[in-house]
Amino acid sequence: MVTEGEQNCCVGLGANPDRDGFVTLDACIMDEFSNCGSVAFLERIKHPISVARRVMEKTPHVMLVGIGAQQFAVAEGFPLEEQKLSPEAEKSYKDWLIKSEYKPPVINIEKKQGGHGPFAPAKLDNGEWNHDTIGMVAMDTNGNLSGSCTTSGAGFKMRGRLGDSPIIGAGLFVDNEVGACTATGQGEDVIRVAGSHSVVELMRQGLSPEMACKKVIERIIRIKGPKAKDIQVGFLAINKKGQVGAYSIHKGFEYAIRTNAGEQLVKAKFVMGE
Ligand code: GLY
């Protein structure tokens, strides 16, 4: 919620727009009862994750998209905002318009620190990769698991493009008997392997959260072949024992852990360049 409300490049209404200049937001949420809600291609609403929660709590559906999602949000009392790009997103979009290059699925980016290329996440000058999505997995005091995920998706995407983040099983999956997982990075490559669901299924087979994340990252690298060097994907998982783990393709995926003992920022392990 806080990040959605900030003017930043990757999440919320100030984020990088699509190639036509519109910011479209995706989010989903899932609880310990396998209740879930999702919104996608949502425009002019500040907090997509809150709308996803209302979809879960107040409708018989899992997913609402586009104008229907916006109508639902307005009916639920969410104000229709004016789109206002952050200065960073405004500059990135103007820079992108010079060539208007769109080269999926390769991430054609070599940007300065804090910048963003045609696809998120971006490779930074220091060789690390930043990321583009806020994903959270949580265990409550009763040991129940839940999760959520919110993003503006890939910068300068084709109009109508959805990534993994609003898709239950791709950007997020929770099974209260086993564990929960969320993803960041190039959504197309997360969707291809039903990423978060695959991680949870590997935890069901007995793998630790870290090893389960690593196995699915390795699967994506196998599928992509040499093109894996151009994309970033990261998974973050928690199991029923409260153990946490993460893995990414490249260096630069960091995640925060918050417990009663305090907060820490952890650098995820990565496969390429190990
Ligand atoms: N992971 C965010 C996206 O690809 O849209």
Side-chain angles (χ1 to χ4, degrees), residues 26 120 132-133 151-154 157 161-166 183-188 190:
D26 303 329
D132 59 314
T133 301
T151 189
S152 59
K157 60 197 171 188
R161 177 264 188 193
L162 301 183
D164 58 314
S165 301
T184 184
Q186 184 144 304
E188 284 75 2
V190 176

Side-chain angles (χ1 to χ4, degrees), residues 79-199:
L80 208 50
E81 312 275 352
E82 289 309 316
Q83 176 180 300
K84 188 172 181 309
L85 298 186
S86 65
E88 185 190 2
E90 186 91 51
K91 181 176 181 320
S92 295
Y93 184 51
K94 279 191 182 140
D95 289 349
W96 179 80
L97 281 173
I98 294 167
K99 285 191 178 169
S100 302
E101 269 185 333
Y102 184 73
K103 294 183 176 176
V106 177
I107 301 179
N108 175 26
I109 45 179
E110 294 289 334
K111 282 278 171 181
K112 301 253 177 272
Q113 181 109 24
H116 246 50
F119 259 67
K123 188 174 184 183
L124 306 174
D125 282 351
N126 64 6
E128 298 196 354
W129 296 62
N130 67 4
H131 54 98
D132 59 314
T133 301
I134 304 290
M136 283 187 283
V137 286
M139 174 178 272
D140 70 15
T141 48
N142 298 317
N144 288 319
L145 298 169
S146 59
S148 64
C149 188
T150 181
T151 189
S152 59
F156 325 127
K157 60 197 171 188
M158 290 176 72
R159 188 138 176 81
R161 177 264 188 193
L162 301 183
D164 58 314
S165 301
I167 299 175
I168 298 293
L172 176 72
F173 194 68
V174 178
D175 183 326
N176 198 40
E177 289 182 355
V178 178
C181 177
T182 187
T184 184
Q186 184 144 304
E188 284 75 2
D189 295 302
V190 176
I191 294 169
R192 267 184 244 292
V193 295
S196 292
H197 181 262
S198 296
V199 170

Side-chain angles (χ1 to χ4, degrees), residues 176-240:
N176 198 40
E177 289 182 355
V178 178
C181 177
T182 187
T184 184
Q186 184 144 304
E188 284 75 2
D189 295 302
V190 176
I191 294 169
R192 267 184 244 292
V193 295
S196 292
H197 181 262
S198 296
V199 170
V200 171
E201 290 309 303
L202 288 168
M203 290 195 286
R204 192 190 307 279
Q205 291 169 26
L207 267 62
S208 67
E210 184 177 290
M211 285 313 293
C213 292
K214 185 179 186 198
K215 286 271 177 222
V216 181
I217 289 291
E218 286 172 342
R219 192 179 303 167
I220 293 171
I221 291 171
R222 270 200 309 279
I223 291 169
K224 294 300 282 185
K227 289 181 180 168
K229 71 176 182 1
D230 300 315
I231 61 158
Q232 173 69 308
V233 172
F235 291 111
L236 168 63
I238 183 169
N239 67 13
K240 198 62 185 167

